[in-house]
Amino acid sequence: MDRLWPVDGAATAADLEDFYRYPATPDRPWVRVNFVSSLDGAVAVDGSSRGLSDPADRSVLTLLRDLADVMLVGAGTALVEGYQGLRSTAARRERRARLGLTGVPPVAVVSGSAAVPPDSPLLTSTEIPPIVLTCAAAPAQRRRALAEAGAEVVLAGDGGVDLRAALDALARRGLRRVVCEGGPTLFGHLVDADLVDELCLSLAPVLAGGDAGRIARGPLPRSPLPMRLAGVLHADSLLLLRYRRTGS
């Protein structure tokens, strides 16, 4: 396990890049899930994760996106959180070029019903078309409208999205370094399908109370997925935890 050290001061940009590095040449989809939670387990405040995040957490979020080949997100979370495409900033271009990565990571949206509005910022405010991972049961009219709006529509499954097939479809496009940003339902289904390689969890130093949900919600897996603590950072009272699948 890496030692506990601060994000600011002792940790340089190179330190953080090394701390959060993916396997050098993944030969299969490597799924990293990133979440922020309150100390008492709330995944949101007033319906959004923004109330739990702070500048250090957002800085790490930017880094995780820069290190990835693709951002994976559920349609509900993308709409609630106002997702749009990533921008090709000078800092992002420099970092990705230095690390041997190209372009801007596309957003891959999981929606079994293809329920992504064609006028969503995911399609209207982006430099690279999003990928909509859906299934054959999704209404053909919705799939057609998304394709006409510029999305790459990928069928992965029949009656619902087969996440393993969806990840394989991304891998065939060279998108193996996956950062999943939720939401809880998508994370829960990834756990159920045993597809989670890594969890990056920011623990915000607040007690949120209320009735907010947990970071994973979905089918009960056959058995809990064992993870090992791979590293800990802190920025003042914010804890940044990194867990990896046992044996990886």
Side-chain angles (χ1 to χ4, degrees), residues 60-208:
V60 169
L61 174 66
T62 296
L63 171 62
L64 296 186
R65 290 173 171 179
D66 287 353
L67 297 179
D69 294 323
V70 61
M71 289 166 51
L72 183 70
V73 65
T77 293
L79 298 177
V80 168
E81 301 282 355
Y83 271 62
Q84 55 187 11
L86 294 185
R87 298 297 180 187
S88 179
T89 65
R92 176 164 284 142
R93 289 193 300 272
E94 185 279 330
R95 174 181 276 158
R96 290 180 66 81
R98 177 166 41 79
L99 297 175
L101 303 171
T102 59
V104 176
V107 179
V109 188
V110 179
S111 176
S113 58
V116 179
D119 61 353
S120 162
L122 285 164
L123 290 115
T124 62
S125 181
T126 184
E127 297 178 13
I128 184 169
I131 301 168
V132 177
L133 300 167
T134 188
C135 63
Q141 183 177 0
R142 289 184 184 176
R143 289 187 270 134
R144 186 165 51 251
L146 285 169
E148 291 172 353
E152 181 179 2
V153 179
V154 176
L155 298 185
D158 297 321
V161 177
D162 180 329
L163 290 174
R164 191 173 296 277
L167 291 171
D168 286 344
L170 295 177
R172 288 195 295 273
R173 290 160 172 78
L175 307 175
R176 293 183 175 86
R177 300 174 183 87
V178 181
V179 59
C180 175
E181 299 182 4
T185 299
L186 176 56
F187 185 19
H189 281 86
L190 287 168
V191 171
D192 180 56
D194 195 14
L195 293 171
V196 178
D197 293 291
E198 186 173 326
L199 171 64
C200 295
L201 178 63
S202 298
L203 280 181
V206 298
L207 297 173

Side-chain angles (χ1 to χ4, degrees), residues 11-90:
T12 66
D15 289 330
L16 291 173
E17 289 169 5
D18 184 63
F19 182 83
Y20 285 110
R21 68 186 180 277
Y22 281 87
T25 53
D27 57 1
R28 62 168 180 81
W30 181 276
V31 179
R32 164 183 284 163
V33 179
N34 183 51
F35 263 98
V36 62
S37 166
S38 69
L39 294 178
D40 54 338
V43 73
V45 173
D46 294 330
S48 171
S49 64
R50 295 187 188 93
L52 296 170
S53 189
D54 73 0
D57 176 62
R58 288 190 288 273
S59 176
V60 169
L61 174 66
T62 296
L63 171 62
L64 296 186
R65 290 173 171 179
D66 287 353
L67 297 179
D69 294 323
V70 61
M71 289 166 51
L72 183 70
V73 65
T77 293
L79 298 177
V80 168
E81 301 282 355
Y83 271 62
Q84 55 187 11
L86 294 185
R87 298 297 180 187
S88 179
T89 65

